[in-house]
Amino acid sequence: MTSEGELTGPFWAARAYSRGSGQDHLGLGSVSSDRLLTRLSPGVNVLTVHPRYWSFYAFLLDEFWARDLPRHQSAFRGFYRPREALYSFACQLCEQPEHETLTGGVVGSRRTYGVIGQQEFDPAFDYIKEPLGGYGLYYRTVMETMGLVVLTDPGAGVVFDAPTPQGRAVATGYRAAVDGTRFYRDYFPACDAAVPREVLAEFAAAGCLCQLRTAATADLPLLQDVFLHHGEPEEAQRRATFRFFLDFCRTTQAEAVSPDRFRQLVYFRELDGERYLPLSDVLGTARRWRIYQAREYFAFAFNRLWAWVTRRGLQLSDDGLSLVP
C-alpha cells in the first residue's frame, strides 16, 4: 500500500552493477540473428564472415581425432586454444596481396593485435574469453547445419564433436594447403613453444583466411560444394540468397559494396541516383531481405531511444547515486 500522493515507480536507483560493454542490451539483435537470418541464409550469419574458418576448424577437429587424446571438451580445449591463438597471430601477419581485401572478424584479434609487433608468439596467450574460441562462439552450430560436424551427443554414442566424412574431406583440403609449412611440420604437433614471427608469416601465406581464393587445388572447391549443396533441406534458401547477392552487385559494379550502402539500397532501392531493380527470379528473396532490413532499422531506432533514456536517467540521478522518478 502507498500513502496518498506518494510517488510509485519506476525509479532510477543507486547503481548495483558495473557498466557493461554489450551491444544488444534489449536483445533485439538476437531475434534477427537467431530467427530471421537462419531462414534467409541457413548456415551463414553476420558473425561467420570468413568461409575459411569452416576449413580451419574442420582441420583442427580432424587433427584432434587423429591423436591419442581423451575424447571430451576439456581435452579438446587444451588442444584447440593454443593453435587458434597462433592462427589469430598468423592471420594478422599475412603479407599476401589478397589480404588487403580481408575485412574484420579474425577471432581473437582484439587481444592479439596489441602484441602483434613481437618477434615470437606464445601459444598460451589468452586470446579470447570463450573456452572454445571462435568455434564455440560462432561456427560450431553452423558447421553442424552444413553437415561438416556431428555435435556431442552421449546418447547417440558421440562423446565429443567429430568431423563428418564431408568435414574430413574439407580438413584434408586445408591440410594440403599448409602441410609444407614449417609451422605445421615443426610446431603444430606439440604447440608448446614460442613460434617465430617468420614461421607464422610463412604459414599465413598458405593458410590465412584471405588465401582461400588461391586454394583452387586445396579446400576452395570443397567449400564451394558445401555452401551450394550440403546441409539441411532449407539450403535452397541459402542458394537463393547467394543469387540475390550476385544480382545486387550489378548495381555497384564500379565500387565495393559497403555494409552501409548495402543496407540502404536493399531497403530504399535507390541511393545517390543509383537504383536496385531485382531480377524477377530473385524478387521474392529481395523482398525478404528488405523486410529484414526494415527490422534492423527499427532495432537501431529503438536502441538509440533506449540509450537516450538511460543517459537522461543517469544525468538526473547523479550517475545513479540518487533516486529520481
Side-chain angles (χ1 to χ4, degrees):
M1 300 289 291
T2 59
S3 60
E4 185 176 353
E6 182 179 346
L7 291 174
T8 60
F11 283 85
W12 284 93
R15 188 167 65 232
Y17 303 99
S18 60
R19 291 179 179 175
S21 58
Q23 299 180 2
D24 187 26
H25 300 290
L26 299 177
L28 298 175
S30 62
V31 176
S32 296
S33 61
D34 298 342
R35 299 298 185 102
L36 302 181
L37 278 178
T38 55
R39 292 174 177 265
L40 284 171
S41 186
V44 184
N45 61 49
V46 293
L47 299 175
T48 57
V49 297
H50 295 303
R52 209 172 203 190
Y53 267 126
W54 273 266
S55 298
F56 179 68
Y57 293 138
F59 164 71
L60 289 185
L61 278 168
D62 195 47
E63 291 282 338
F64 172 72
W65 277 91
R67 287 164 168 74
D68 186 16
L69 295 170
R71 305 307 182 194
H72 50 67
Q73 180 169 314
S74 179
F76 180 68
R77 183 172 64 246
F79 173 85
Y80 167 90
R81 284 185 66 86
R83 290 162 177 84
E84 184 174 46
L86 292 171
Y87 190 63
S88 181
F89 286 124
C91 287
Q92 295 176 76
L93 294 173
C94 183
E95 299 177 346
Q96 301 307 301
E98 294 82 9
H99 202 82
E100 294 181 1
T101 62
L102 193 70
T103 60
V106 176
V107 173
S109 59
R110 287 186 180 181
R111 294 186 182 180
T112 56
Y113 180 77
V115 295
I116 202 64
Q118 298 176 165
Q119 296 305 307
E120 289 188 333
F121 298 92
D122 182 6
F125 185 82
D126 187 14
Y127 69 102
I128 198 170
K129 183 178 180 180
E130 165 64 32
L132 295 184
Y135 175 69
L137 277 174
Y138 313 124
Y139 288 86
R140 189 183 190 197
T141 55
V142 296
M143 287 178 68
E144 181 195 30
T145 300
M146 295 284 203
L148 294 180
V149 300
V150 177
L151 300 187
T152 306
D153 185 356
V158 182
V159 294
F160 187 68
D161 297 9
T164 63
Q166 183 65 35
R168 289 196 297 272
V170 172
T172 299
Y174 184 82
R175 189 179 297 110
V178 303
D179 65 356
T181 63
R182 285 180 58 198
F183 173 71
Y184 181 64
R185 183 181 67 246
D186 300 333
Y187 292 89
F188 185 90
C191 216
D192 57 0
V195 182
R197 185 183 189 92
E198 64 271 15
V199 171
L200 286 182
E202 181 208 23
F203 178 75
C208 180
L209 299 169
C210 73
Q211 290 304 294
L212 178 62
R213 68 187 65 186
T214 69
T217 60
D219 52 322
L220 175 59
L222 297 165
L223 280 182
Q224 288 173 333
D225 186 48
V226 166
F227 278 91
L228 293 176
H229 305 112
H230 289 266
E232 302 295 334
E234 61 266 21
E235 83 246 358
Q237 180 57 52
R238 185 168 64 244
R239 290 197 296 271
T241 283
F242 290 160
R243 287 196 297 270
F244 159 66
F245 288 159
L246 291 173
D247 180 56
F248 179 86
C249 286
R250 294 184 301 109
T251 306
T252 54
Q253 289 273 352
E255 58 183 288
V257 182
S258 67
D260 188 57
R261 193 172 192 83
F262 174 81
R263 295 186 186 102
Q264 293 186 66
L265 273 172
V266 162
Y267 182 70
F268 296 106
R269 300 284 174 86
E270 189 168 348
L271 177 67
D272 298 333
E274 193 170 26
R275 300 185 67 193
Y276 170 52
L277 298 174
L279 294 176
S280 58
D281 62 340
V282 299
L283 183 59
T285 302
R287 286 172 175 167
R288 292 183 182 95
W289 275 95
R290 193 178 198 183
I291 293 171
Y292 167 80
Q293 188 54 53
R295 196 186 188 288
E296 289 291 278
Y297 281 138
F298 164 78
F300 173 79
F302 206 77
N303 274 304
R304 294 289 290 179
L305 177 62
W306 175 249
W308 178 86
V309 170
T310 56
R311 287 196 304 270
R312 181 66 172 164
L314 289 171
Q315 178 184 358
L316 294 176
S317 63
D318 191 18
D319 204 24
L321 297 178
S322 59
L323 292 172
V324 293

